[in-house]
Amino acid sequence: MTELVRQIGIVGIGMIGASVAAAVKARGVAARVVAYSPGEDAKVALAAGWIDRVCEQASDCLEDSELLVLSAPVSSIIELMPAIAHTLDQHLRAGKKLAALTDTGSSKQGIIEAAKALGPHQSRFIAAHPIAGSERRGAAAANPDLFLERSVLLCPKDDQDADSFKLVSRFWQSLGARTAVIDPKLHDAVYAEVSHWPHAAAFALCLGIANGPLADHSLARAGAGLKDTTRIAASNPTLWADILLSNKDATLASAQRHRDALDDLMRCIEQEDRQRLIELLAAASHWRQQLQDFA
């Protein structure tokens, strides 16, 4: 691919951020990638050749970058906004070209609200959510093909800088993704249903077994069904606590609907209401078959 920009900065080199870096390098999207991440992940990415320089702090990733990707946890992205605004102000006063900004956060409304701290630079930020991931963690789990044929949802604003939006859209597409626009409130409601609460439910299922009297026996004798159902519960607990809290209201609304469904199933089993149990299971099975068709 033809080089899109000279340099990209990435803040947060976990599995997603490192996969962004690896995809950029694999596809020749940028000549240079600089990154910041706490811990050792940035050094792992440097050793793997996915980034060219480890920055000392997050805002340093803006220096000479035409695009900055915020791939930290949602709460960290929110906390970073004032420092990014300060650095952009400095660059503006120095006559430097300002970077476009995007992110990879799994919830959008809190990040978009926090982006107001960017002040006049707010229009350069395009909130994004790549619908791609893995239960694996850290830079060592990077996959340069992670975004191939996956959706990246963009949440532009009414006063969006057109050039920044075009650059961010082209960037995600250059990694092999399909881009689409979505309202941030709708985004958070939908992903509470299809991602945030399902992850919590998978964790809860594992927790229920782990806290029971047959935990060890269950480990030794579980088959593919349980492994398939709970695969996502192997995900990073710190990251998922952050996501669940960042989309609290929508996630709790989804949780209540699932609690009601579980109560219905439990009632059928208690009352040995076989016909009603079959009806509920059939409705669930029908929806799941439709989901398979969409995939």
Side-chain angles (χ1 to χ4, degrees):
M1 176 179 170
T2 303
E3 187 176 291
L4 181 64
V5 294
R6 181 66 182 166
Q7 179 175 295
I8 289 174
I10 303 174
V11 176
I13 301 291
M15 189 277 297
I16 294 290
S19 293
V20 169
V24 166
K25 286 295 187 180
R27 289 165 173 78
V29 176
R32 185 170 168 82
V33 179
V34 300
Y36 167 80
S37 197
E40 298 298 313
D41 277 332
K43 294 178 182 178
V44 171
L46 181 67
W50 300 323
I51 66 174
D52 300 288
R53 181 170 68 89
V54 177
C55 297
E56 292 186 7
Q57 56 187 9
S59 57
D60 291 344
C61 294
L62 283 163
E63 189 66 37
D64 297 324
S65 293
E66 294 158 77
L67 176 66
L68 181 71
V69 181
L70 300 171
S71 192
V74 174
S75 61
S76 297
I77 292 173
I78 289 171
E79 291 171 2
L80 283 168
M81 289 297 181
I84 291 170
H86 177 69
T87 301
L88 288 173
D89 285 340
Q90 290 180 321
H91 287 188
L92 182 63
R93 287 193 295 269
K96 297 179 180 180
K97 185 176 179 179
L98 301 183
L101 313 170
T102 190
D103 77 304
T104 65
S106 293
S107 63
K108 303 282 40 127
Q109 291 180 94
I111 291 173
I112 290 170
E113 180 65 24
K116 292 179 180 178
L118 296 174
H121 311 300
Q122 186 180 167
S123 66
R124 305 188 68 82
F125 173 68
I126 298 89
H129 179 196
I131 312 304
S134 167
E135 72 278 9
R136 298 178 65 202
R137 313 175 196 176
N143 175 6
D145 293 326
L146 185 67
F147 310 102
L148 193 61
E149 296 301 319
R150 299 299 185 93
S151 292
V152 174
L153 301 178
L154 306 177
C155 299
K157 301 173 287 296
D158 292 339
D159 62 346
Q160 193 71 69
D161 177 71
D163 289 339
S164 295
F165 181 75
K166 182 179 179 180
L167 175 58
V168 167
S169 298
R170 289 180 62 201
F171 166 69
W172 287 114
Q173 291 162 9
S174 73
L175 303 190
R178 303 181 299 266
T179 56
V181 170
I182 189 171
D183 174 78
K185 185 176 181 180
L186 175 61
H187 172 280
D188 287 0
V190 168
Y191 281 90
E193 292 281 280
V194 302
S195 178
H196 302 169
W197 179 250
H199 273 79
F203 282 113
L205 180 54
C206 289
L207 190 62
I209 298 172
N211 288 342
L214 300 176
D216 291 340
H217 290 287
S218 297
L219 278 176
R221 292 170 175 78
L226 185 68
K227 291 178 181 178
D228 289 346
T229 304
T230 61
R231 176 186 61 81
I232 55 177
S235 300
N236 187 325
T238 302
L239 174 66
W240 274 96
D242 192 81
I243 292 170
L244 293 171
L245 293 173
S246 75
N247 197 23
K248 179 180 73 172
D249 292 343
T251 299
L252 289 176
S254 182
Q256 183 59 58
R257 284 187 289 278
H258 285 77
R259 178 181 284 176
D260 293 342
L262 183 59
D263 286 344
D264 286 343
L265 291 174
M266 290 178 65
R267 191 177 303 111
C268 288
I269 295 170
E270 289 169 354
Q271 298 173 0
E272 299 185 17
D273 187 345
R274 187 174 187 274
Q275 185 55 43
R276 177 59 178 159
L277 182 59
I278 290 173
E279 291 172 0
L280 292 173
L281 297 179
S285 178
H286 176 67
W287 190 90
R288 179 60 179 82
Q289 288 170 16
Q290 290 180 301
L291 179 63
Q292 188 67 32
D293 292 339
F294 273 95

